[in-house]
Amino acid sequence: MEGYSATFRIKWYLLNVNAVKLKRILLPFLALLFFSCSSDDSSNPVPQDETEIPVANFIVVGQDLNNVYQFDYDATSNQGQLVNLTQEFNISRNYLTLREVDDLLSFYFFADGAFSLIVKDIRTGASSTYTDFYSNNPGQSVAWGINTKSNVYFGFFGPFGARNLGILDVEFVGDLGRDIAIDEDVDFVFQPLLFQNKIYFMYRTNQGDYKFTFYDTLNSSAGPILDFGDVSISFLFDEFGELAIVKNGPNATLEFYDANTLEFLESMDLNFNTAFSVGPVDGAVIKDNTLFYAIPYIQPAKFSSGPASFDLTTQENTIIDLFSIAAEVEQELSESIGLTVQIYDPSQNVFLVGYEVLDQSARGGVLQISNEGTLISNVATTFVPTYIIRN
């Protein structure tokens, strides 16, 4: 710094010394401030919005004191369309049974020795009525009926006084009808399930053995018969179309069979006391290696059953606290409720549970419950739901 005065050189020196001191003070402070902010960000992240479980669409059939109804609920608009089936299609409350096959709802009636049937397409709204289309043969005792668009199939015992089980195949239009023998010396036949053009059903012999078979509606023939001895069984189909048969009891097992040949495929344990009704497992679904079902409650209890799921891989059974959900609904309604129907909808991953308000008002509603047991929605109805249709 030659050429500068001594005074200037001293001032320049002091200025640089102070700048260095300031750096030594500020840099640690800024570093501390930075790490402190980083630490705060990691320990207190910005809260994210919880993912809402979507409300599901559904179709439900039910009745009040005078009429039968169909209610189509649209979750997007949070509104439903109510159809009075009694007024529009002459479906009275005294129907014998209701069957659902594909998009068809079929209401069976029996009067004066003859069967009548009202069929409604739930998608198009079209309907057909077959009045007294089949007169009951005195030599045959009809146990159940199920139908496609063109034919109705009756499971029956006959001839008169015999316990021989057969299938009666009747066309709606025309005089064609045929009897197909299934087995002899049968004590009881359980309800059927029509799946991919085959009617699957089971029965119990007079010796107490449980047997299972099907009737092929395309070629009018009976399938092979599986004999499970004295073990009661229930059945359903998984998402791949395989037949799943539950051997009930405290040491229950689940067996899979080819639905077309009834050939055995595999077996696995069910580490819970199933106590399913013999025959089709109503409202149950096997999806993603999980059984979604209605678990029967040990009685006495407020309800007979409630939503549950069983992981077939981990053997873990998850039981939803339906009693707490019902208590919440009852508090909202200021009335007690009773459950009427329950299914699992695999397309929307939700349990649908119908209930009746126990105040003699003939009204009710449908609860939507998630797999984790969260009450998603409570949709009130002006009638009592008795049947829920999967989408």
Side-chain angles (χ1 to χ4, degrees):
M1 302 193 51
E2 295 181 1
Y4 290 92
S5 66
T7 303
F8 177 82
R9 288 197 297 267
I10 292 172
K11 287 182 178 179
W12 182 87
Y13 173 79
L14 292 175
L15 181 62
N16 278 275
V17 170
N18 289 335
V20 172
K21 288 182 178 179
L22 184 61
K23 255 188 213 185
R24 290 174 180 172
I25 295 173
L26 283 178
L27 287 178
F29 174 79
L30 291 174
L32 179 62
L33 182 63
F34 173 79
F35 286 114
S36 177
C37 292
S38 300
S39 176
D40 288 343
D41 288 344
S42 62
S43 61
N44 297 296
V46 177
Q48 301 291 325
D49 292 335
E50 294 185 1
T51 302
E52 292 187 2
I53 304 173
V55 179
N57 302 318
F58 64 83
I59 302 175
V60 62
V61 174
Q63 53 190 262
D64 60 14
L65 298 177
N66 302 302
N67 302 292
V68 179
Y69 300 92
Q70 176 183 325
F71 180 69
D72 296 37
Y73 176 74
D74 180 75
T76 303
S77 63
N78 192 27
Q79 293 181 345
Q81 179 182 4
L82 184 67
V83 179
N84 189 321
L85 299 178
T86 301
Q87 293 180 2
E88 295 197 21
F89 302 99
N90 198 33
I91 298 174
S92 60
R93 295 176 69 250
N94 65 340
Y95 62 83
L96 185 63
T97 191
L98 167 61
R99 300 291 189 197
E100 176 194 357
V101 177
D102 297 327
D103 290 338
L104 296 181
L105 286 183
S106 301
F107 297 84
Y108 286 75
F109 297 86
F110 183 77
D112 301 324
F115 288 94
S116 298
L117 188 60
I118 300 176
V119 180
K120 180 180 184 294
D121 190 309
I122 60 175
R123 307 301 174 187
T124 66
S127 68
S128 301
T129 300
Y130 304 95
T131 303
D132 298 338
F133 72 93
Y134 176 73
S135 296
N136 193 31
N137 187 328
Q140 296 175 335
S141 175
V142 173
W144 48 251
I146 198 167
N147 62 283
T148 60
K149 290 184 177 180
S150 61
N151 291 53
V152 64
Y153 309 90
F154 292 109
F156 72 93
F157 292 101
F160 182 78
R163 298 302 294 180
N164 299 332
L165 177 62
I167 299 292
L168 176 63
D169 187 339
V170 180
E171 289 186 343
F172 286 128
V173 179
D175 299 326
L176 181 61
R178 60 178 68 86
D179 294 353
I180 294 87
I182 301 297
D183 205 345
E184 300 178 351
D185 199 24
V186 175
D187 172 50
F188 191 85
V189 59
F190 299 90
Q191 290 299 305
L193 182 62
L194 201 158
F195 180 77
Q196 295 184 352
N197 301 311
K198 293 182 177 64
I199 302 171
Y200 297 85
F201 59 96
M202 53 170 300
Y203 54 94
R204 184 179 62 235
T205 68
N206 280 321
Q207 290 72 42
D209 294 332
Y210 292 89
K211 295 185 177 183
F212 183 93
T213 189
F214 64 75
Y215 174 73
D216 192 325
T217 64
L218 295 183
N219 57 33
S220 304
S221 63
I225 296 176
L226 301 178
D227 190 341
F228 292 91
D230 61 357
V231 178
S232 70
I233 63 171
S234 308
F235 67 94
L236 68 158
F237 292 87
D238 69 8
E239 59 188 315
F240 306 109
E242 292 179 350
L243 171 66
I245 290 184
V246 179
K247 290 184 173 180
N248 291 304
N251 299 312
T253 58
L254 179 64
E255 296 184 346
F256 290 91
Y257 293 80
D258 184 288
N260 293 312
T261 64
L262 298 189
E263 178 184 357
F264 175 80
L265 299 175
E266 63 175 321
S267 176
M268 61 183 61
D269 293 333
L270 289 176
N271 288 334
F272 66 96
N273 188 356
T274 54
F276 291 138
S277 298
V278 180
V281 187
D282 292 334
V285 168
I286 296 178
K287 178 185 177 183
D288 297 333
N289 216 35
T290 301
L291 170 64
F292 299 92
Y293 70 104
I295 185 169
Y297 294 139
I298 297 175
Q299 298 300 309
K302 182 178 178 64
F303 307 118
S304 61
S305 62
S309 61
F310 183 79
D311 190 311
L312 299 177
T313 302
T314 65
Q315 294 287 296
E316 180 182 0
N317 201 29
T318 302
I319 302 174
I320 289 174
D321 187 0
L322 180 63
F323 298 97
S324 294
I325 293 175
E328 178 183 341
V329 174
E330 289 177 332
Q331 183 176 11
E332 178 184 342
L333 297 173
S334 298
E335 296 286 351
S336 296
I337 64 171
L339 303 188
T340 57
V341 61
Q342 171 190 322
I343 71 166
Y344 183 79
D345 189 331
S347 66
Q348 302 179 99
N349 296 318
V350 65
F351 289 97
L352 299 173
V353 180
Y355 68 87
E356 175 185 8
V357 180
L358 302 178
D359 62 353
Q360 306 300 316
S361 63
R363 62 190 173 100
V366 176
L367 305 177
Q368 300 188 16
I369 303 173
S370 73
N371 296 348
E372 294 73 30
T374 301
L375 177 60
I376 303 170
S377 175
N378 174 21
V379 180
T381 59
T382 57
F383 58 90
V384 177
T386 57
Y387 192 89
I388 301 175
I389 302 165
R390 289 194 183 96
N391 284 289

